[in-house]
Amino acid sequence: MNGTGPLVLVVEDEPQVCRFLRAALSSHGFRILEAGTVREAEQLATSHNPEVYLLDLGLPDGDGIDLARRVREWTHAPIIVLSARGREEDKVNALDAGADDYLTKPFGVNELLARLRVALRHSRAGPAEEPVIEVGPLRIDLARREVRIEGREVRLTPTEYRLLTLLARHAGKVLTHRQILREVWGPNATEAHYVRVHMAELRKKIERDPARPQLLITEPGVGYRLRDQLEPG
Amino acid sequence: MNGTGPLVLVVEDEPQVCRFLRAALSSHGFRILEAGTVREAEQLATSHNPEVYLLDLGLPDGDGIDLARRVREWTHAPIIVLSARGREEDKVNALDAGADDYLTKPFGVNELLARLRVALRHSRAGPAEEPVIEVGPLRIDLARREVRIEGREVRLTPTEYRLLTLLARHAGKVLTHRQILREVWGPNATEAHYVRVHMAELRKKIERDPARPQLLITEPGVGYRLRDQLEPG
DNA sequence: ACGGGGCATCAAGGCGGCGTCAAGGCCCGG
DNA sequence: CCGGGCCTTGACGCCGCCTTGATGCCCCGT
């Protein structure tokens, strides 16, 4: 479960806390960078540009507060301070130096994760892009559930839409009758005739000449395939 | 020293804490709104659109968590929860409901002020987004809870308003029946009929010809979507 | 040449989704 | 205590989609 989630830089010199954080974070999909000193932390920060920082104070070669201040000079990535010092003055100094949150040890895993979610919620305010599949002249916008062929919009019934998206997600590859039936009609479906009827409907809507398909290709005796590039003929 | 600084809405029912907060905030230039109940808080929030919220849990007429969730539906203004409950579960719930920070009572004035500075630093960093959604001829002012169609104001019931804002926040995208039910009627709702009835009411109010919808489009077998661009036909 | 299996097409029918109307109950304000 | 607004719930009719069967074609093997 490594390689998908946000990249977090953990700056911490106590091995025990390190292990604790590593377990908590990696089990929730985060990718982790670790630094034990201010020097290491700055190198990793500039080279990898992590999405969020977990910062212990009291490092062997300098103060975490200064590190926070320097990091804040070139990025708005959230910084969460983890510290054994619970004095109010320490918190105020860290927060005013650029930290976004301050947790006093000991703290629970769930609180840490919740505060991480808050931090990431802030930094990801930007709009996310929509997933779109493009195959030849076809364009399928999954979020809008909109299908266009050469720019023109086509209305599809639920079954036709499921058929087409299934084929499009495996563009170029042959899907057997059995695979198609299981994906579109559920694991118990057996009537291969369903596929033929709905494939004909689909061809009426997206093929120039439904009698001579250029996109929805029949593979006799095997299944169907959505052509993903022009072929001779 | 009133009239210059950021407007903060204090939601708190204990008079003693109220006095404490009032003194701490006003002496640092904040302008203050006070509410002792969820009801009051929502009225003041929508009418004055404060820059930041200080929210006590355990109010006489409802849960502060729900208040946070509802406020978060139409603004990104920071919410700082102040609570005597120190359990980790309480913190996680509040933060996941939309709160940006959580202070356990008792806390120091300086820490509160420092965390307020962090919150304001965040909200002023990004482009101050207006709490207004415009989709085609529709204009929804979330702070005023006001809906206009081609300039004319329309009165919506609470359910209709939630339906419309849900669709508007995902303008153009298809929302499934399940998504709509979960967002508007809560995670346990199953009656798809609710959606149909209220969608019909909504159409009566915002469609020119409710029998031929141009805005609230039905996606048969899937759900609904709010059209965000003109289409031929 | 003939027969059979796989495939395409068409049409009929049933069924479920959808829109509409209306009655009943709940909550809140007067 | 009464009244109005709103949500829920049920009934009903329509339309569209899926299913299902019939028919014919093409390709192949015999």
mmCIF file of all heavy atoms in Angstrom, chain B residues 155 157 159 185 193-194 198, chain D residues 5-11:
data_model
loop_
_atom_site.group_PDB
_atom_site.id
_atom_site.type_symbol
_atom_site.label_atom_id
_atom_site.label_comp_id
_atom_site.label_asym_id
_atom_site.label_seq_id
_atom_site.Cartn_x
_atom_site.Cartn_y
_atom_site.Cartn_z
ATOM 1 N N ARG B 155 -38.592 31.328 -3.911
ATOM 2 C CA ARG B 155 -38.589 30.811 -2.549
ATOM 3 C C ARG B 155 -38.510 29.289 -2.584
ATOM 4 O O ARG B 155 -39.329 28.648 -3.231
ATOM 5 C CB ARG B 155 -39.864 31.231 -1.825
ATOM 6 C CG ARG B 155 -39.751 32.529 -1.039
ATOM 7 C CD ARG B 155 -41.064 32.826 -0.347
ATOM 8 N NE ARG B 155 -41.557 31.677 0.423
ATOM 9 C CZ ARG B 155 -41.151 31.402 1.676
ATOM 10 N NH1 ARG B 155 -40.276 32.172 2.268
ATOM 11 N NH2 ARG B 155 -41.640 30.357 2.313
ATOM 12 N N THR B 157 -38.073 25.605 -0.283
ATOM 13 C CA THR B 157 -38.126 24.971 1.035
ATOM 14 C C THR B 157 -36.735 24.430 1.357
ATOM 15 O O THR B 157 -35.880 24.315 0.472
ATOM 16 C CB THR B 157 -39.129 23.812 1.038
ATOM 17 O OG1 THR B 157 -38.577 22.746 0.265
ATOM 18 C CG2 THR B 157 -40.465 24.230 0.464
ATOM 19 N N THR B 159 -35.567 21.469 1.928
ATOM 20 C CA THR B 159 -35.168 20.290 1.150
ATOM 21 C C THR B 159 -34.870 20.655 -0.297
ATOM 22 O O THR B 159 -33.884 20.198 -0.874
ATOM 23 C CB THR B 159 -36.278 19.233 1.210
ATOM 24 O OG1 THR B 159 -36.545 18.926 2.577
ATOM 25 C CG2 THR B 159 -35.849 17.972 0.483
ATOM 26 N N TRP B 185 -30.778 13.376 2.516
ATOM 27 C CA TRP B 185 -31.615 12.746 3.534
ATOM 28 C C TRP B 185 -30.808 11.934 4.551
ATOM 29 O O TRP B 185 -31.375 11.278 5.393
ATOM 30 C CB TRP B 185 -32.662 11.857 2.883
ATOM 31 C CG TRP B 185 -33.851 12.612 2.382
ATOM 32 C CD1 TRP B 185 -34.987 12.907 3.080
ATOM 33 C CD2 TRP B 185 -34.032 13.169 1.080
ATOM 34 N NE1 TRP B 185 -35.842 13.618 2.288
ATOM 35 C CE2 TRP B 185 -35.301 13.798 1.067
ATOM 36 C CE3 TRP B 185 -33.242 13.218 -0.077
ATOM 37 C CZ2 TRP B 185 -35.796 14.468 -0.061
ATOM 38 C CZ3 TRP B 185 -33.734 13.878 -1.183
ATOM 39 C CH2 TRP B 185 -34.986 14.489 -1.188
ATOM 40 N N HIS B 193 -38.137 7.479 -3.906
ATOM 41 C CA HIS B 193 -39.316 8.266 -4.254
ATOM 42 C C HIS B 193 -39.195 9.702 -3.761
ATOM 43 O O HIS B 193 -39.707 10.632 -4.395
ATOM 44 C CB HIS B 193 -40.564 7.606 -3.671
ATOM 45 C CG HIS B 193 -41.843 8.149 -4.219
ATOM 46 N ND1 HIS B 193 -42.044 8.362 -5.571
ATOM 47 C CD2 HIS B 193 -42.985 8.535 -3.627
ATOM 48 C CE1 HIS B 193 -43.258 8.842 -5.761
ATOM 49 N NE2 HIS B 193 -43.854 8.964 -4.582
ATOM 50 N N TYR B 194 -38.555 9.918 -2.613
ATOM 51 C CA TYR B 194 -38.325 11.275 -2.104
ATOM 52 C C TYR B 194 -37.766 12.168 -3.195
ATOM 53 O O TYR B 194 -38.232 13.287 -3.428
ATOM 54 C CB TYR B 194 -37.304 11.255 -0.957
ATOM 55 C CG TYR B 194 -37.746 10.567 0.302
ATOM 56 C CD1 TYR B 194 -36.859 10.414 1.364
ATOM 57 C CD2 TYR B 194 -39.025 10.062 0.442
ATOM 58 C CE1 TYR B 194 -37.236 9.789 2.533
ATOM 59 C CE2 TYR B 194 -39.416 9.433 1.602
ATOM 60 C CZ TYR B 194 -38.519 9.294 2.653
ATOM 61 O OH TYR B 194 -38.888 8.680 3.800
ATOM 62 N N HIS B 198 -39.557 15.677 -4.753
ATOM 63 C CA HIS B 198 -38.974 16.993 -4.526
ATOM 64 C C HIS B 198 -38.364 17.570 -5.796
ATOM 65 O O HIS B 198 -38.325 18.784 -5.972
ATOM 66 C CB HIS B 198 -37.935 16.923 -3.404
ATOM 67 C CG HIS B 198 -38.568 16.725 -2.054
ATOM 68 N ND1 HIS B 198 -39.069 17.767 -1.332
ATOM 69 C CD2 HIS B 198 -38.801 15.611 -1.334
ATOM 70 C CE1 HIS B 198 -39.580 17.304 -0.194
ATOM 71 N NE2 HIS B 198 -39.426 15.990 -0.172
ATOM 72 P P DG D 5 -49.099 28.918 3.942
ATOM 73 O OP1 DG D 5 -48.849 30.257 3.397
ATOM 74 O OP2 DG D 5 -50.114 28.021 3.333
ATOM 75 O "O5'" DG D 5 -47.718 28.131 3.981
ATOM 76 C "C5'" DG D 5 -46.692 28.607 4.855
ATOM 77 C "C4'" DG D 5 -45.754 27.470 5.177
ATOM 78 O "O4'" DG D 5 -46.443 26.500 6.004
ATOM 79 C "C3'" DG D 5 -45.233 26.704 3.958
ATOM 80 O "O3'" DG D 5 -43.840 26.553 4.080
ATOM 81 C "C2'" DG D 5 -45.973 25.372 4.026
ATOM 82 C "C1'" DG D 5 -46.161 25.201 5.526
ATOM 83 N N9 DG D 5 -47.276 24.340 5.892
ATOM 84 C C8 DG D 5 -48.561 24.406 5.437
ATOM 85 N N7 DG D 5 -49.349 23.505 5.964
ATOM 86 C C5 DG D 5 -48.526 22.799 6.820
ATOM 87 C C6 DG D 5 -48.809 21.693 7.678
ATOM 88 O O6 DG D 5 -49.901 21.128 7.838
ATOM 89 N N1 DG D 5 -47.686 21.282 8.373
ATOM 90 C C2 DG D 5 -46.440 21.864 8.273
ATOM 91 N N2 DG D 5 -45.475 21.340 9.017
ATOM 92 N N3 DG D 5 -46.165 22.888 7.485
ATOM 93 C C4 DG D 5 -47.249 23.304 6.788
ATOM 94 P P DC D 6 -42.985 26.201 2.790
ATOM 95 O OP1 DC D 6 -41.798 27.067 2.836
ATOM 96 O OP2 DC D 6 -43.890 26.178 1.620
ATOM 97 O "O5'" DC D 6 -42.524 24.717 3.083
ATOM 98 C "C5'" DC D 6 -41.858 24.434 4.313
ATOM 99 C "C4'" DC D 6 -41.949 22.961 4.597
ATOM 100 O "O4'" DC D 6 -43.316 22.630 4.919
ATOM 101 C "C3'" DC D 6 -41.560 22.052 3.432
ATOM 102 O "O3'" DC D 6 -40.348 21.388 3.766
ATOM 103 C "C2'" DC D 6 -42.732 21.095 3.281
ATOM 104 C "C1'" DC D 6 -43.523 21.281 4.568
ATOM 105 N N1 DC D 6 -44.983 21.070 4.436
ATOM 106 C C2 DC D 6 -45.618 20.113 5.228
ATOM 107 O O2 DC D 6 -44.946 19.459 6.030
ATOM 108 N N3 DC D 6 -46.952 19.920 5.105
ATOM 109 C C4 DC D 6 -47.655 20.653 4.227
ATOM 110 N N4 DC D 6 -48.969 20.442 4.139
ATOM 111 C C5 DC D 6 -47.026 21.629 3.404
ATOM 112 C C6 DC D 6 -45.703 21.810 3.540
ATOM 113 P P DC D 7 -39.610 20.474 2.690
ATOM 114 O OP1 DC D 7 -38.170 20.725 2.831
ATOM 115 O OP2 DC D 7 -40.272 20.631 1.388
ATOM 116 O "O5'" DC D 7 -39.913 19.012 3.236
ATOM 117 C "C5'" DC D 7 -39.610 18.719 4.577
ATOM 118 C "C4'" DC D 7 -40.298 17.441 4.992
ATOM 119 O "O4'" DC D 7 -41.727 17.619 4.897
ATOM 120 C "C3'" DC D 7 -39.957 16.228 4.120
ATOM 121 O "O3'" DC D 7 -39.481 15.182 4.943
ATOM 122 C "C2'" DC D 7 -41.268 15.865 3.430
ATOM 123 C "C1'" DC D 7 -42.317 16.465 4.360
ATOM 124 N N1 DC D 7 -43.573 16.884 3.666
ATOM 125 C C2 DC D 7 -44.793 16.312 4.033
ATOM 126 O O2 DC D 7 -44.813 15.455 4.916
ATOM 127 N N3 DC D 7 -45.932 16.713 3.405
ATOM 128 C C4 DC D 7 -45.879 17.646 2.454
ATOM 129 N N4 DC D 7 -47.023 18.022 1.866
ATOM 130 C C5 DC D 7 -44.640 18.243 2.063
ATOM 131 C C6 DC D 7 -43.525 17.840 2.692
ATOM 132 P P DT D 8 -38.895 13.834 4.260
ATOM 133 O OP1 DT D 8 -37.865 13.311 5.174
ATOM 134 O OP2 DT D 8 -38.559 14.122 2.856
ATOM 135 O "O5'" DT D 8 -40.142 12.846 4.285
ATOM 136 C "C5'" DT D 8 -40.692 12.479 5.532
ATOM 137 C "C4'" DT D 8 -42.053 11.830 5.342
ATOM 138 O "O4'" DT D 8 -42.903 12.701 4.584
ATOM 139 C "C3'" DT D 8 -42.041 10.496 4.580
ATOM 140 O "O3'" DT D 8 -42.483 9.488 5.473
ATOM 141 C "C2'" DT D 8 -43.006 10.700 3.408
ATOM 142 C "C1'" DT D 8 -43.814 11.909 3.861
ATOM 143 N N1 DT D 8 -44.366 12.753 2.778
ATOM 144 C C2 DT D 8 -45.734 12.758 2.570
ATOM 145 O O2 DT D 8 -46.506 12.086 3.223
ATOM 146 N N3 DT D 8 -46.147 13.591 1.554
ATOM 147 C C4 DT D 8 -45.353 14.401 0.757
ATOM 148 O O4 DT D 8 -45.842 15.101 -0.118
ATOM 149 C C5 DT D 8 -43.945 14.345 1.031
ATOM 150 C C7 DT D 8 -42.993 15.182 0.238
ATOM 151 C C6 DT D 8 -43.521 13.535 2.020
ATOM 152 P P DT D 9 -42.219 7.941 5.164
ATOM 153 O OP1 DT D 9 -42.234 7.216 6.455
ATOM 154 O OP2 DT D 9 -41.068 7.859 4.265
ATOM 155 O "O5'" DT D 9 -43.517 7.487 4.345
ATOM 156 C "C5'" DT D 9 -44.801 7.744 4.889
ATOM 157 C "C4'" DT D 9 -45.863 7.563 3.827
ATOM 158 O "O4'" DT D 9 -45.949 8.734 2.993
ATOM 159 C "C3'" DT D 9 -45.626 6.394 2.862
ATOM 160 O "O3'" DT D 9 -46.587 5.395 3.136
ATOM 161 C "C2'" DT D 9 -45.786 7.005 1.459
ATOM 162 C "C1'" DT D 9 -46.468 8.331 1.760
ATOM 163 N N1 DT D 9 -46.178 9.415 0.770
ATOM 164 C C2 DT D 9 -47.228 10.127 0.244
ATOM 165 O O2 DT D 9 -48.387 9.914 0.531
ATOM 166 N N3 DT D 9 -46.865 11.100 -0.645
ATOM 167 C C4 DT D 9 -45.579 11.430 -1.051
ATOM 168 O O4 DT D 9 -45.382 12.315 -1.845
ATOM 169 C C5 DT D 9 -44.531 10.637 -0.467
ATOM 170 C C7 DT D 9 -43.109 10.896 -0.822
ATOM 171 C C6 DT D 9 -44.876 9.680 0.414
ATOM 172 P P DG D 10 -46.594 3.978 2.392
ATOM 173 O OP1 DG D 10 -47.009 2.932 3.347
ATOM 174 O OP2 DG D 10 -45.311 3.853 1.674
ATOM 175 O "O5'" DG D 10 -47.751 4.143 1.309
ATOM 176 C "C5'" DG D 10 -49.042 4.496 1.743
ATOM 177 C "C4'" DG D 10 -49.898 4.899 0.566
ATOM 178 O "O4'" DG D 10 -49.397 6.144 0.023
ATOM 179 C "C3'" DG D 10 -49.906 3.897 -0.598
ATOM 180 O "O3'" DG D 10 -51.242 3.450 -0.830
ATOM 181 C "C2'" DG D 10 -49.346 4.673 -1.787
ATOM 182 C "C1'" DG D 10 -49.551 6.126 -1.377
ATOM 183 N N9 DG D 10 -48.579 7.048 -1.946
ATOM 184 C C8 DG D 10 -47.217 7.013 -1.773
ATOM 185 N N7 DG D 10 -46.591 7.964 -2.418
ATOM 186 C C5 DG D 10 -47.615 8.672 -3.049
ATOM 187 C C6 DG D 10 -47.551 9.808 -3.878
ATOM 188 O O6 DG D 10 -46.555 10.433 -4.235
ATOM 189 N N1 DG D 10 -48.821 10.196 -4.301
ATOM 190 C C2 DG D 10 -49.990 9.576 -3.973
ATOM 191 N N2 DG D 10 -51.118 10.081 -4.475
ATOM 192 N N3 DG D 10 -50.072 8.515 -3.194
ATOM 193 C C4 DG D 10 -48.843 8.119 -2.767
ATOM 194 P P DA D 11 -51.555 2.322 -1.928
ATOM 195 O OP1 DA D 11 -52.667 1.495 -1.395
ATOM 196 O OP2 DA D 11 -50.287 1.692 -2.330
ATOM 197 O "O5'" DA D 11 -52.103 3.174 -3.154
ATOM 198 C "C5'" DA D 11 -53.097 4.166 -2.923
ATOM 199 C "C4'" DA D 11 -53.457 4.851 -4.232
ATOM 200 O "O4'" DA D 11 -52.420 5.818 -4.556
ATOM 201 C "C3'" DA D 11 -53.550 3.909 -5.441
ATOM 202 O "O3'" DA D 11 -54.674 4.280 -6.233
ATOM 203 C "C2'" DA D 11 -52.238 4.130 -6.174
ATOM 204 C "C1'" DA D 11 -51.955 5.604 -5.866
ATOM 205 N N9 DA D 11 -50.540 5.960 -5.876
ATOM 206 C C8 DA D 11 -49.510 5.309 -5.254
ATOM 207 N N7 DA D 11 -48.336 5.876 -5.435
ATOM 208 C C5 DA D 11 -48.608 6.976 -6.224
ATOM 209 C C6 DA D 11 -47.792 7.982 -6.759
ATOM 210 N N6 DA D 11 -46.476 8.038 -6.565
ATOM 211 N N1 DA D 11 -48.386 8.940 -7.506
ATOM 212 C C2 DA D 11 -49.713 8.881 -7.698
ATOM 213 N N3 DA D 11 -50.584 7.975 -7.241
ATOM 214 C C4 DA D 11 -49.960 7.050 -6.506
#
